[in-house]
Amino acid sequence: MFLVRVAKDPEIRRKEILNAAIELFEEKGYDATAVSDIVKKVGVAQGTFYYHFKSKEDVLDAFLDDIIEEIRVKLTAICDMEIDSIGKVLYYFRVFNTAGIGRERMMVYLHEERNALLHLKLEKKIYPKVLPPFQKIIQQGISEGVFDTEYPYEAAVAIFGASNAISEGKHDHAITEVTEDRRLLTTTDVMERILGAEKGIFIKYYRDKMEEKR
Amino acid sequence: MFLVRVAKDPEIRRKEILNAAIELFEEKGYDATAVSDIVKKVGVAQGTFYYHFKSKEDVLDAFLDDIIEEIRVKLTAICDMEIDSIGKVLYYFRVFNTAGIGRERMMVYLHEERNALLHLKLEKKIYPKVLPPFQKIIQQGISEGVFDTEYPYEAAVAIFGASNAISEGKHDHAITEVTEDRRLLTTTDVMERILGAEKGIFIKYYRDKMEEKR
DNA sequence: TATTACTGACTGACAGTCAGTCAGTTTAGG
DNA sequence: CCTAAACTGACTGACTGTCAGTCAGTAATA
């Protein structure tokens, strides 16, 4: 038994392998996906994998870079919009709620122990991409007079940390049952406080301008 | 070559294995520590390991349970103290800054990729232990009239998320250089805002009552 | 013909298994 | 009360299966 050997443009092959890997990562998790599974799915030899990727972790990095680049592009677009800072903050968060596989599934997925490495790497890689533009939005808000903080960078860091913790709590350790509505309410409340914004300004803006666009 | 076989009280043996494992985890990281390394260090056979532990992950869980129990005991003590909520909050955070190997080393350790599983598991396990008592402190503060929030639980979650994010070295790419002093300043600022406390109240209390005790 | 893409058998390291060993303890017969 | 047989459970270490990663060689292509 033998198969015809096909040589493809390396970029094409690389994509093939990467896509197969991503599908398997989403299906079985990173740990449980063997390199032999990936090459079987693509229909190439094990060596081909290592011709295109340095290691199994290297594919993971490529996967994460894809996700992060997708998000970065969207965020840059938001920063360049000609709207006020409140709107930008809300758009900014909408990107996270819809990015990648979709926040809900993504969140559960990231918290599975078989994806621990993926989780850690994503966190490490995404913050430097996301925080500087967010800081700019906050500074815009300060100029506009709607935000008031001495530490715009740390405010950005704190908001991401806090909102992440609030929405993660849903999956793990919530005492009170957390509805989607309460999550929105508490997250915007915390954001307003950290940014020194008028109480209720985000929720008001959200109800007026964001919801109608759904 | 042969060694005398020694049978010990299972609890003793278990501790021996656990301690050796912990030392190796701290030295080489979780991933890089092989079960064969652990048993070599204790001087027992591989099978003995699996007589006392279900799996390699099982030792990790035992290790984490140890750390968490140590912290839980300290936190409970703080909650039972007869002092005001501001003091309790500050003591609460001091426990985290000195717990385990020491915050600084622990933080670096946890962010190494070879410890990704350890990191994720610790996060998952520690929050349910830490948040409910912290919520109680916040409620005490509300009764005392120094805090003002409608969402004490989410405030607790947000504070942990935010302060973690600020100190976790997500500020690797910070524009301003982050000193220990700035970290304290920004963290207390964020806490005050989330809790609706008077501006500067934590820092003032810290400088007055906490620093003298060092 | 040279270079590039690819092959798949191979290696070494690892987590976990298992049939069997042996020191100590309990039981039963004298 | 002694002792030998039966039993228990901690322990052994060679073994298995799986996996990431390697490499000497082969086919396709420029």
Side-chain angles (χ1 to χ4, degrees), chain B residues 13 45 47-48 51-52:
Chain B
R13 235 322 113 76
T48 308
Y51 184 78
H52 295 282

Side-chain angles (χ1 to χ4, degrees), chain A residues 123 127-128 131 153 157 161, chain B residues 111 165-174:
Chain A
E123 261 193 7
Y127 278 84
L131 291 176
Y153 184 75
V157 176
Chain B
H111 278 78
I166 289 172
S167 55
E168 252 180 29
K170 282 169 185 170
H171 47 21
D172 282 7
H173 300 259

